[in-house]
Amino acid sequence: IGLVGHDNRIFDSVDGRQIAMALNYANINVSQYICSINDTKFIETKKHSKIELDDFVIARLSENEKLFGFDFDE
């Protein structure tokens, strides 16, 4: 299928070096990789990555900038 996707829970207790290895692997071996990762993990991961991760960021989400534009629990 050439697509891998998951949310940031998979990276929750993972060290930034290991996340960097996973993202470097995905960059080489997967045609499209979609994941969400919190900002502190992303900053830590960038220190260990062989690639410029900011070049691959499509959207930066926050309390004001939501993926679907609203909260589902309301």
Side-chain angles (χ1 to χ4, degrees):
I1 189 168
L3 166 73
V4 176
H6 62 264
D7 66 10
N8 70 346
R9 290 182 187 194
I10 197 167
F11 291 137
D12 187 36
S13 61
V14 179
D15 182 79
R17 293 171 294 178
Q18 294 171 320
I19 298 170
M21 286 176 57
L23 295 178
N24 290 333
Y25 178 86
N27 183 53
I28 294 168
N29 296 293
V30 179
S31 62
Q32 188 173 25
Y33 182 67
I34 301 168
C35 75
S36 62
I37 185 169
N38 77 30
D39 56 346
T40 54
K41 284 286 186 184
F42 187 72
I43 292 167
E44 178 188 352
T45 301
K46 286 185 353 177
K47 296 175 187 175
H48 303 288
S49 181
K50 296 176 183 174
I51 56 177
E52 184 56 50
L53 294 177
D54 285 315
D55 292 346
F56 297 95
V57 174
I58 302 302
R60 293 186 185 273
L61 305 177
S62 68
E63 285 298 316
N64 298 324
E65 296 291 326
K66 297 176 181 1
L67 183 60
F68 295 105
F70 61 90
D71 290 324
F72 284 95
D73 60 352
E74 293 181 357

